[in-house]
Amino acid sequence: MSLPPSLTAYRLAMQLAAPLAPSVLKRRAKAGKEDLSRLNERLGRPKAHRPDGVLVWLHGASVGESLVLATLVEELGGIRPDLNFLVTTGTCTSADLMQRRLPSNARHQYVPVDTAAAATGFLDHWKPDLAVFAESELWPNLIVETARRGVPMALVNARMNARSLRNWRRRPDTARWLLACFDWIGAADQRTRDGLEDLTGSAVTLAGNLKLEAIPAPPDPHELSRIKVALAGREVWLAASTHDGEDGIALSANAMLKSEHPNTLLILAPRHPERAGEIERLLQRHKHKWARRSKHEVPTSEDDVWLADTLGEMALWFAVAPAALIAGSLKPDIGGHNPIEATQAGCAVLSGRHVASFQDVYDAYSAHEAVRWVEDAVDTSEAVADIWAHRGPKLEQARAALSAAAGGALATTVTALIALLEPEEAE
């Protein structure tokens, strides 16, 4: 099947840009966004040995998707101990997580940049027997080159918000061509299933949300114990994954809480830690006292904010805070962030109403009264105080919401992936 014009144009543009990739990656490495020692992987020149036997390749964007993929590796490996696994992601944080989490029959690599040459080098080396893409991480050249090799392909936990679906509808020929490469698609929610069926003209399985069944990586027990000792006697809450405009709301709420609860401590964890300098200026302007995690500072009794400007430590913060504002939800155009990890850690969930990216999850939370909706600093301070007083959403309500929303997604997906391997073995 010939490529649609827009996809052909994309491939040509990426071919022309390919010579710039090494210098771009090196600049990103200097900024801490790439692993300089592993840029060969990003350029499609892997050095690691391909194991003998059947190799299942799974790809996801970052930490959230990598936890889903790690869970799939564990489930598939339990059913088929003969399988080998390759997990690719694109961020340093997810790479560190996968190095700690994956079993001995699996390894992590960085996903190659989306040029035809890098994709070809990657695929020629690894020769996967099954390719599994997660959510909406669809790199056209990687999909085209995988399809050309006749590798069975699956799109698992497919999730697209209304904006993503609108963007795909602007390029229907490209969307239809790329999605047709997948032998099985499992949608995480009804909106995505309906949207993909409209784009492809084919039936799509409503599998359910795999993130609700993904097994989270536990925080480091020694570090968790050390933090709990340091925060003993403090009334703690968390603002998780804040964006510009939300930090001020959290800080105002914290000031209100401190007037009634002198031992209040806000753990402020920005979505993008590089915003720490900007947040420090905000803290200084409003006369807060704070400690900064990236400088290995621990709050003293004088500090009312702990600026958690590090990556990969959210599990620690959920484990020590009884209440968490899941940010990205107080302002439009972000779509909210995932509340699941908070619930799995036993942390009560607060959220704004702008949660389109996780609407199905929040619908289940709302139905089970497992989320406290907030709009501003006053709402947030009252909600945190209620949770401290055991008047907020109960943990059992949140766990019931997760169970209701999951819908057996893991079992459905694993069954479909095993079935895709059978024709290859029969040959």
Side-chain angles (χ1 to χ4, degrees):
M1 185 169 61
S2 61
L3 299 179
S6 57
L7 189 51
T8 300
Y10 171 85
R11 283 167 63 81
L12 177 60
M14 293 304 294
Q15 182 180 349
L16 293 173
L20 301 175
S23 59
V24 171
L25 290 170
K26 287 177 183 177
R27 284 199 300 272
R28 285 176 53 83
K30 287 182 180 179
K33 296 179 180 180
E34 299 282 350
D35 185 337
L36 186 61
S37 68
R38 295 174 63 181
L39 293 187
N40 59 294
E41 297 170 23
R42 297 284 273 143
L43 294 169
R45 305 167 190 163
K47 298 177 181 177
H49 172 71
R50 187 213 188 273
D52 296 331
V54 180
L55 179 68
V56 178
W57 163 40
L58 306 98
H59 172 67
S62 189
V63 172
E65 295 79 13
S66 64
L67 288 174
V68 167
L69 300 182
T71 302
L72 285 174
V73 166
E74 291 159 6
E75 290 292 316
L76 290 166
I79 296 170
R80 288 280 306 273
D82 61 304
L83 296 177
N84 298 290
F85 300 93
L86 174 71
V87 176
T88 58
T89 62
T91 67
C92 296
T93 307
S94 58
D96 292 341
L97 175 61
M98 289 298 93
Q99 298 285 19
R100 299 193 304 269
R101 174 72 181 270
L102 291 175
S104 60
N105 61 344
R107 71 176 307 127
H108 174 270
Q109 292 273 280
Y110 283 104
V111 66
V113 294
D114 200 41
T115 65
T120 296
F122 171 86
L123 292 164
D124 285 349
H125 178 86
W126 289 108
K127 298 179 175 63
D129 297 284
L130 173 64
V132 180
F133 290 72
E135 301 212 1
S136 58
E137 184 73 356
L138 304 179
W139 291 108
N141 274 318
L142 204 51
I143 292 172
V144 168
E145 298 301 331
T146 304
R148 285 180 170 174
R149 285 161 172 74
V151 178
M153 298 171 67
L155 177 58
V156 304
N157 212 48
R159 291 181 59 86
M160 295 186 184
N161 59 29
R163 183 191 302 172
S164 296
L165 289 170
R166 283 196 301 271
N167 289 338
W168 277 112
R169 289 188 185 107
R170 293 190 187 107
R171 304 183 300 277
D173 291 344
T174 294
R176 194 174 299 113
W177 199 100
L178 291 174
L179 292 168
C181 293
F182 293 99
D183 299 276
W184 184 80
I185 298 177
D189 54 56
Q190 184 79 40
R191 175 190 57 216
T192 301
R193 196 271 297 271
D194 293 347
L196 293 181
E197 287 188 341
D198 181 56
L199 284 167
T200 63
S202 302
V204 171
T205 301
L206 179 58
N209 193 340
L210 282 172
K211 282 186 174 176
L212 302 180
E213 297 184 76
I215 302 168
D220 178 84
H222 300 294
E223 187 63 11
L224 178 59
S225 177
R226 191 177 78 87
I227 289 174
K228 284 184 173 180
V229 169
L231 302 187
R234 303 295 299 267
E235 292 186 281
V236 180
W237 70 289
L238 168 67
S241 297
T242 58
H243 293 257
D244 183 31
E246 295 182 316
D247 312 292
I249 294 173
L251 292 172
S252 295
N254 197 58
M256 295 175 193
L257 285 163
K258 192 175 179 182
S259 66
E260 297 292 331
H261 305 267
N263 283 331
T264 290
L265 177 71
L266 165 64
I267 301 174
L268 179 57
R271 181 70 170 180
H272 304 291
E274 59 268 25
R275 294 181 53 244
E278 165 193 332
I279 296 171
E280 279 199 309
R281 289 190 288 274
L282 185 64
L283 289 163
Q284 191 171 32
R285 188 159 62 246
H286 291 279
K287 297 182 170 48
H288 291 276
K289 294 185 178 179
W290 70 94
R292 188 164 171 176
R293 175 67 171 172
S294 65
K295 294 182 178 179
H296 308 290
E297 298 170 350
V298 177
T300 69
S301 58
E302 298 298 313
D303 296 316
D304 64 332
V305 176
W306 197 359
L307 179 54
D309 58 331
T310 53
L311 288 169
E313 294 194 309
M314 198 64 77
L316 280 172
W317 313 134
F318 284 132
V320 298
L325 168 66
I326 309 300
S329 61
L330 294 173
K331 301 288 184 179
D333 301 328
I334 297 169
H337 292 301
N338 195 339
I340 298 167
E341 189 179 1
T343 293
Q344 290 169 329
C347 183
V349 170
L350 291 68
S351 176
R353 295 279 185 176
H354 302 288
V355 292
S357 294
F358 294 90
Q359 194 64 58
D360 59 321
V361 178
Y362 278 102
D363 284 347
Y365 271 60
S366 186
H368 287 78
E369 298 182 342
V371 58
R372 178 72 174 264
W373 299 109
V374 299
E375 294 184 5
D376 53 27
V378 174
D379 284 350
T380 302
S381 64
E382 291 175 351
V384 172
D386 282 348
I387 290 167
W388 284 344
H390 307 290
R391 295 192 298 267
K394 301 294 189 294
L395 182 58
E396 55 268 24
Q397 294 169 305
R399 287 176 174 162
L402 293 187
S403 178
L410 186 58
T412 299
T413 302
V414 167
T415 299
L417 297 182
I418 291 292
L420 288 178
L421 285 166
E422 291 175 354
E424 180 71 18
E425 292 182 327
E427 293 173 12

